Amino acid sequence: MKKFIRAADACIAVLLVFIYALIGLGDYCLPDRISTYSSRNISYNNIYTVDMSESSQVDFQNNTRVSPSETEIKLLGLIPVKTASVTQESEKWVYVSGESFGIKLYTDGVIVVGTKDVVTDQGKCNPAKDAGIEKGDIIVSINNVKMTSSTQVEETFNDNNGKDYEITVKRNGNYKNFTLTPVYSQSEGRYKVGIWVRDSTAGIGTITFYNSENSSMAALGHPITDVDTNEIMPILNGEAVKANVTKLYKSTNGEAGSLCCDFTNEVIGTLSVNSTCGIYGKYDCSLTDKRLYKVATAQEVEKGSAQILCTVDEKGPQLYDVEITRISYRENNDEKNIVVKVTDKNLLEKTGGIIQGMSGSPIIQNGMLVGALTHVIVDNPEKGYAIFAEKMLDQSEELK
């Protein structure tokens, strides 16, 4: 009898450890905020559920959005795991694109991409670094004059007889003031400050969708960052231009391939937002009703077969088969919510998997737009990361 009791206690202990492990896993992995387009209960892997009868309902007839309500996510419908904020709203639809396009961005301020030593009669020194200016700072003004281009900054620094500059920079969202004292370079015969700056960038990406509610476009699914500082580039203004694919380099293990495109003079949109969820702006739409898709909520995304819509040659956007292998609901992981694997033999033959320039390619599953490609996994280019389409839609709806 005692052996039976000990065995029963051991089984109960193991069961409790298993349950607590599932509770901890759910608390870590499941989302803090949930959106839904229906009153049906929500399930995650058939283990964790949200009883929607406990939440307030959306007025679908009047197409109104209900304020978020606090609802418990439960293990097996019984054991509370965590409290989530649930928002119910009407279904949202967008026109998906999959077209490659050219990106031209001009920054709001001028980015410091580096500092350098200046050789003087007394030896080497670094005036910018000594003043406290750092790589990644955004120069907002010099001597109370707003800076809008690298040319303006260079001309201001070159017009100097040794007097101090009062510099205002933006760093991590905060403004800081510095006094920059130039030094005289005997070899160059003028005063120098030892600073490199940049005010623009250009690149290639893929348009994810057009939101007809506010005539906005969404693309990339990840931010454009400065190549030297890795900081998100602050947009003053930008253009989306039509681009034609001319060539591509295939991805191989350890090295990401890339699309090569020729920019045209045809402007198809203006860009105004560069965020962790992609780039956004106004778009001159020419898409058809055939590309109108419902935007899936995060919990509607499933592991399994899906398709990506992308442009890798002169044929324009084409659908290719992929498989969604992993889904993450972590709030601090905007660009890597989904892992996809390319299974389409034709695409693998052409590109070797995912290549640079495909960022923003729409992912279609069960007749819905569920996400957009963001990154290639360089060591295994058949796989890549993607962002939930729901997050990109939320960002696009903030555009006025």
Side-chain angles (χ1 to χ4, degrees), residues 41-58:
N41 290 347
I42 298 169
S43 174
Y44 297 95
N45 297 322
N46 297 317
I47 298 175
Y48 307 98
T49 59
V50 179
D51 186 354
M52 294 304 298
S53 65
E54 299 177 3
S55 303
S56 56
Q57 301 298 307
V58 65

Side-chain angles (χ1 to χ4, degrees), residues 40-305:
R40 294 192 300 271
N41 290 347
I42 298 169
S43 174
Y44 297 95
N45 297 322
N46 297 317
I47 298 175
Y48 307 98
T49 59
V50 179
D51 186 354
M52 294 304 298
S53 65
E54 299 177 3
S55 303
S56 56
Q57 301 298 307
V58 65
D59 183 355
F60 291 105
Q61 183 175 358
N62 295 317
N63 195 31
T64 58
R65 180 171 181 162
V66 172
S67 298
S69 61
E70 299 298 312
T71 304
E72 286 186 336
I73 302 177
K74 295 181 179 180
L75 174 64
L76 302 176
L78 299 172
I79 305 171
V81 173
K82 68 186 299 183
T83 300
S85 174
V86 180
T87 301
Q88 297 184 67
E89 55 187 309
S90 298
E91 294 179 349
K92 300 296 178 64
W93 298 73
V94 295
Y95 294 87
V96 300
S97 174
E99 296 179 25
S100 296
F101 76 114
I103 302 164
K104 298 179 180 180
L105 289 189
Y106 298 91
T107 58
D108 186 12
V110 180
I111 298 176
V112 176
V113 297
T115 61
K116 60 181 178 179
D117 292 337
V118 179
V119 179
T120 70
D121 290 343
Q122 289 75 40
K124 292 181 180 180
C125 63
N126 193 318
K129 185 177 180 180
D130 294 341
I133 296 172
E134 299 177 358
K135 180 179 177 180
D137 285 347
I138 300 167
I139 297 177
V140 177
S141 67
I142 302 176
N143 294 337
N144 295 317
V145 177
K146 182 174 174 60
M147 295 291 111
T148 59
S149 70
S150 57
T151 300
Q152 184 185 10
V153 171
E154 290 168 2
E155 290 176 349
T156 301
F157 284 147
N158 288 336
D159 183 21
N160 181 268
N161 58 4
K163 292 184 179 181
D164 291 346
Y165 291 105
E166 298 303 318
I167 312 289
T168 299
V169 306
K170 191 174 183 180
R171 181 187 298 167
N172 298 325
N174 299 313
Y175 291 92
K176 296 180 178 292
N177 297 310
F178 300 99
T179 299
L180 175 57
T181 303
V183 295
Y184 189 75
S185 171
Q186 189 69 42
S187 62
E188 297 189 40
R190 59 193 175 105
Y191 285 91
K192 303 281 289 183
V193 296
I195 197 168
W196 290 331
V197 295
R198 179 183 292 119
D199 64 0
S200 63
T201 191
I204 299 167
T206 300
I207 299 170
T208 307
F209 64 78
Y210 165 70
N211 183 356
S212 60
E213 292 295 320
N214 59 2
S215 300
S216 67
M217 64 171 287
L220 289 191
H222 65 75
I224 295 177
T225 57
D226 183 81
V227 66
D228 293 301
T229 68
N230 205 35
E231 297 289 330
I232 296 178
M233 298 189 71
I235 291 184
L236 176 63
N237 56 63
E239 290 181 342
V241 300
K242 191 172 180 60
N244 299 316
V245 176
T246 57
K247 190 177 180 180
L248 65 81
Y249 295 95
K250 294 178 65 172
S251 285
T252 58
N253 289 348
E255 185 173 351
S258 62
L259 281 177
C260 298
C261 293
D262 283 342
F263 288 13
T264 71
N265 294 323
E266 183 181 349
V267 177
I268 57 177
T270 57
L271 304 173
S272 58
V273 173
N274 181 23
S275 76
T276 57
C277 297
I279 60 174
Y280 301 82
K282 295 298 180 181
Y283 185 45
D284 296 330
C285 177
S286 60
L287 304 179
T288 67
D289 288 342
K290 292 181 180 179
R291 295 190 185 174
L292 185 63
Y293 284 82
K294 171 189 164 185
V295 178
T297 59
Q299 60 271 5
E300 288 180 302
V301 185
E302 302 174 351
K303 291 182 181 180
S305 299

